[in-house]
Amino acid sequence: MLKITWRSLLKNKLTFGLNLLGLAVGMAAFLTIAQYMKFELSYDQFYGDADRVFRVNTFWSIDGEEERYATAPPPLAEVIREEIPEAEAVCRVFYWSDFTMRPENDFENAYRETEVYAVDESFFEVFDFGLIEGDPKTVLSEPTSVVLPRSAAIKYFGKEAVERGNIVGRRIMGGKDAGTPWTITGLMEDQPANSHLQFEFLVSANSYPDDLYRNQIWSWNVMHTYLRVSEKAVAEAGWKAQLEELLDQIVDKYALPFMDQGVAEFRNSGNRMEYLLQPLTDIHLTSNYLREMRPNGNMTYVKVFGLIALLTIFIAGINFVNLATAQASRRAREVGVKKVMGASRPLLIRQFLAESMVVSGLAAGLALIFTKGLTRLTGNLLDVSFLESADWSSMGLIAAGLWLVVGFLSGIYPAFYLSWFRPAEVLKGQHRSGWSDTAIRNGLVVFQFVLSIGLITASLVIKKQVDLFQDKQLGFTKEQVVVIENDREIEERGPAFKEELRRHPDIIQASFSNGIPGLNTYQRRDFKKEGDEVSWGVDWYQIDEDHLETLEIELQAGRNFRAGTSADSTGLILNEAAVAYLGLDKPIGKYLIKNEGTEDEERLEIIGVVRDFNLESLHHKVKPLAIQYFQGFVFKDYITVRLAAGNPRAAIDHIEKSWQAFEPGVPLRYGFLDVRYDQLYKGETRLANVFALFTGLAIFIACLGLFGLITFVVARRTKEIGIRKILGASTQSILQLLSRDFLLLVGIAFLIAAPLSWWAMQRWLENFAYRIELHWWMPLLAGLAASLIAVITISLRSWSAARANPVDGLRDE
């Protein structure tokens, strides 16, 4: 039977080739997306007992305003440790600042480390992964202890030292003057790419001041807090609800009293404050809260990619069915002869199914070849290196599954349809395809183009939304701004450094601040009006007198900070959202109390109001913001430098030379603000790129099927075309004749796809605080694009038939 099957396939080379290519491309798209989905769904699964590890998030709902934090206050971890026995281990993870580091044996070789996290000594009790050397219980117990991942250890001391085990006990010198020794107490494996925790160094939390790690400020949500729940606890029904009830008791006992909130009054007012447990393995795809460590993935997008994978393989299967049934008139005589010679219907069904399985099997093999290139391309578009972690053995199993499923499902209808022909009718030439056959084929073509038009519409809307992100007026100017990440290197010499930078004609202005637009997290302070009882949490950072000019932020009222004015050290600038949030009328000259009852309590005079500008992404509305004068270098700070338009290279060279003059031997780390800010939309940009790629593949597969169908239409109507040409029909009229029915199907597909795609994209746009308006022309443009693609596909095959000599088509008569 295999020999007969192969001969039959070669006899119908065009159909064989179109089916093989369509199925191979569809399967390759499916395999690539499946590999990406597997990568995304595998985040943080590699930790030991990952299903028992949770992050504690903070939820606030006050006066109808909701906020969700990926962080919790510093004292919460210790209280959980003492009052919740079900938590067998608790640890905090906190990003402090950048570090300039040098190996102890090579002071000339300096590195700027930007992924350094301070963690509690219980870190490896919560995250059971990768420790090669060191005791997990004590490796982070002493001050200035460091655990290095393997790649960092190789960078500082070389591969040979790592392989010989000559790392633990050595020192790395920190600070611009290499004056702070850090002792390496442990060596661990690098974090896999599918971890939401990415770091270059882990340092002991008790290396830092007590007022940071042992303070009792319950309103300061700055530390990522994780806990491992005991195995005994998770075995009990309803354990999670019981644990969150204990966390609610902690809120009532500690957090609300600290914030001068009466528990009963707070609850009765409809307000809520909760500490919620989020499974570690859910963080990457279901968490997009304030103060995430980095932008996470999105489960909705993973589901969308999965849907695209199914649709693509489905379109390829539709092609197979359509092309097989379209050949009915050609293969009817073959079926009739075989039946007369004694072939039973089950035997013919097996033969046609065998043809389908052979084509599907060859396509699966070809798909594995295509997948490698498509995976690399998709990885580049997504900026995710999941090719390295690709499991080709499992991919082979998926390909084998696709071979069996697609081969059987695609072949079952054509097999039963073709084997049904009656030999007496087909041998007399009396067999005609019924209206139901044509209706099924037309319905499948319509379905293909419904999917194609929907995908084109979605690609267009996503692209327009990404363009909005990149082009919207943000309230500040992000272009031509260089951001230098300053790890307190340039401190008291800041004014001299700015003056040196401004000497270059292509540098307009420079400023210092401890915050810039586009960060993952911002510090927060509590503010209240004098005489009020309640404080309100407001985003906060410090700037110097040149910051507003550097970023071109507009003052709405009052004035900017002034250098050398001692009174401005207690001055405050608010944005318009903060003025409304705090209920201030004519705010200039009024006073606010910052962090009442704490060591850094201050009475601040409002000297200015700036127009709202987007610190965060356009997923969120502008939040209240309070700005103080830049005085200290306690936290990480930034130097922003505005360049003149044009070629920035000369200005960059001047920045690099100035830095080395002020800080010789210290690495300079800088980037452009617009690039940094646009990283906030990496998820949407990735979606747009990949959506466009797989939309193109789906349309390509649909066009293969359309090309095959028009080929059979032309073959069946060859004599009709010849007669029409003899009677004077023009080439244009022949093209119209052949394309009319197919364009009608595209029109029907548009009428179905337009409202569906409109509804789907309206739902997607609801995820954004700032979004484009859907217009009637978007699905119309998608329909016109699909029609144009169909016309081009049909014309490629119809042109030769319309131009052919009619005598050739009538010669057999």
Side-chain angles (χ1 to χ4, degrees), residues 367-484:
L368 286 172
I369 298 173
F370 289 168
T371 298
K372 192 149 192 177
L374 191 56
T375 300
R376 180 172 283 106
L377 176 59
T378 305
N380 292 336
L381 292 174
L382 291 170
D383 194 22
V384 176
S385 300
F386 64 93
L387 179 62
E388 288 76 8
S389 61
D391 184 354
W392 292 99
S393 59
S394 66
M395 197 124 40
L397 290 175
I398 296 175
L402 286 176
W403 164 42
L404 296 174
V405 173
V406 173
F408 179 78
L409 293 180
S410 299
I412 190 68
Y413 174 71
F416 276 89
Y417 175 75
L418 294 172
S419 64
W420 169 79
F421 294 159
R422 295 182 177 86
E425 291 180 358
V426 297
L427 292 177
K428 292 178 181 178
Q430 295 175 350
H431 173 77
R432 295 289 185 273
S433 297
W435 68 268
S436 59
D437 306 330
T438 303
I440 290 173
R441 272 200 305 276
N442 288 346
L444 293 175
V445 171
V446 168
F447 185 74
Q448 280 185 318
F449 275 92
V450 167
L451 298 181
S452 298
I453 293 170
L455 290 173
I456 293 171
T457 304
S459 293
L460 177 62
V461 173
I462 293 169
K463 177 65 168 59
K464 297 291 288 183
Q465 182 66 21
V466 171
D467 289 344
L468 172 70
F469 291 154
Q470 295 172 342
D471 300 336
K472 185 181 183 299
Q473 295 299 312
L474 301 170
F476 69 96
T477 305
K478 61 180 178 170
E479 290 76 21
Q480 299 296 122
V481 176
V482 173
V483 177
I484 300 172

Side-chain angles (χ1 to χ4, degrees), residues 99 101-104 116 124 131 133-134 138-149 153 156-157 166-174 178-187 201-207:
F99 288 80
M101 296 287 202
R102 296 171 172 84
E104 62 179 355
V116 179
F124 287 103
L131 191 61
E133 295 183 51
T138 61
V139 72
L140 289 163
S141 61
E142 295 299 321
T144 66
S145 298
V146 174
V147 175
L148 288 186
Y156 279 89
F157 300 106
N166 186 20
I167 295 296
V168 173
R170 302 183 71 165
R171 296 191 307 174
I172 293 178
M173 312 307 292
T180 305
W182 294 85
T183 302
I184 301 170
T185 54
L187 179 69
F201 281 59
L202 290 180
V203 302
S204 55
N206 55 16
S207 306

Side-chain angles (χ1 to χ4, degrees), residues 520-562:
N520 289 333
T521 180
Y522 293 91
Q523 299 175 56
R524 176 165 281 221
R525 298 291 185 268
D526 290 333
F527 290 89
K528 74 173 190 175
K529 293 184 290 187
E530 287 188 307
D532 280 5
E533 295 295 326
V534 179
S535 295
W536 303 93
V538 175
D539 286 345
W540 169 94
Y541 69 90
Q542 296 177 325
I543 66 173
D544 67 11
E545 67 279 0
D546 298 315
H547 190 74
L548 298 184
E549 181 185 350
T550 302
L551 295 187
E552 298 181 350
I553 298 170
E554 183 181 352
L555 268 171
Q556 189 264 339
R559 64 176 178 84
N560 189 12
F561 297 115
R562 294 182 295 217

Side-chain angles (χ1 to χ4, degrees), residues 225-236:
T225 303
Y226 301 86
L227 60 88
R228 176 184 289 270
V229 181
S230 67
E231 193 170 355
K232 179 182 178 182
V234 299
E236 299 178 5

Side-chain angles (χ1 to χ4, degrees), residues 194-214:
N194 56 340
S195 170
H196 85 285
L197 273 170
Q198 296 294 334
F199 49 81
E200 288 294 326
F201 281 59
L202 290 180
V203 302
S204 55
N206 55 16
S207 306
Y208 294 95
D210 284 353
D211 61 357
L212 171 65
Y213 266 86
R214 274 159 284 282

Side-chain angles (χ1 to χ4, degrees), residues 18 110 127 132 138 169 186 246 261 317 336 343 376 402 530 558 566 576 663 678 732 744 753 763 809-810:
L18 292 174
F127 296 101
I132 301 170
T138 61
L246 293 175
Q261 296 281 350
R376 180 172 283 106
L402 286 176
E530 287 188 307
S566 59
E576 294 170 304
E663 296 297 336
D678 288 345
Q732 182 179 356
L744 177 61
R763 292 288 302 275
L810 297 173

